[in-house]
Amino acid sequence: MSNNVSDLLLDGNVAAQLLQRIFVPDITLAKIRCDSCDCVSGVGALTLDASPMGAVLKCADCESDLMRAVDTPRGLWLEMTGARCLLF
Ligand SMILES: [Zn+2]
């Protein structure tokens, strides 16, 4: 085992296999923890506020915004600052 910290710093490509396990499965089966009220809900049970600008998924308990998804000509954006974590 190396004691050199720089040996542990790799680029993001090395995490691809782990990230595919997180993002490829059915997202509606994942659990999400609200950063505001700390409750845990199934993503499929969240309230959706749909608009032409995109989709906002809200906490079922406190109605805080957990996830915002927008499809733009420059790419698909996902913002999750209202969520503490996702569990798959
Ligand atoms: Zn909440």
Side-chain angles (χ1 to χ4, degrees):
M1 180 175 229
S2 174
N3 290 328
N4 189 345
V5 173
S6 66
D7 290 345
L8 301 175
L9 298 176
L10 306 170
D11 69 44
N13 291 311
V14 178
Q17 188 175 12
L18 175 61
L19 294 176
Q20 284 176 335
R21 287 179 54 207
I22 292 171
F23 287 104
V24 172
D26 184 351
I27 188 68
T28 62
L29 300 177
K31 303 284 186 195
I32 189 166
R33 182 179 297 274
C34 176
D35 195 42
S36 294
C37 72
D38 205 39
C39 76
V40 177
S41 306
V43 171
L46 300 176
T47 303
L48 173 64
D49 184 0
S51 77
M53 295 296 293
V56 178
L57 288 160
K58 296 181 169 290
C59 175
D61 282 2
C62 75
E63 300 185 2
S64 293
D65 294 350
L66 298 182
M67 303 171 78
R68 293 185 185 100
V70 180
D71 192 3
T72 75
R74 287 186 275 162
L76 184 60
W77 295 81
L78 176 64
E79 182 268 316
M80 295 183 48
T81 55
R84 188 165 301 154
C85 61
L86 280 170
L87 174 64
F88 292 86

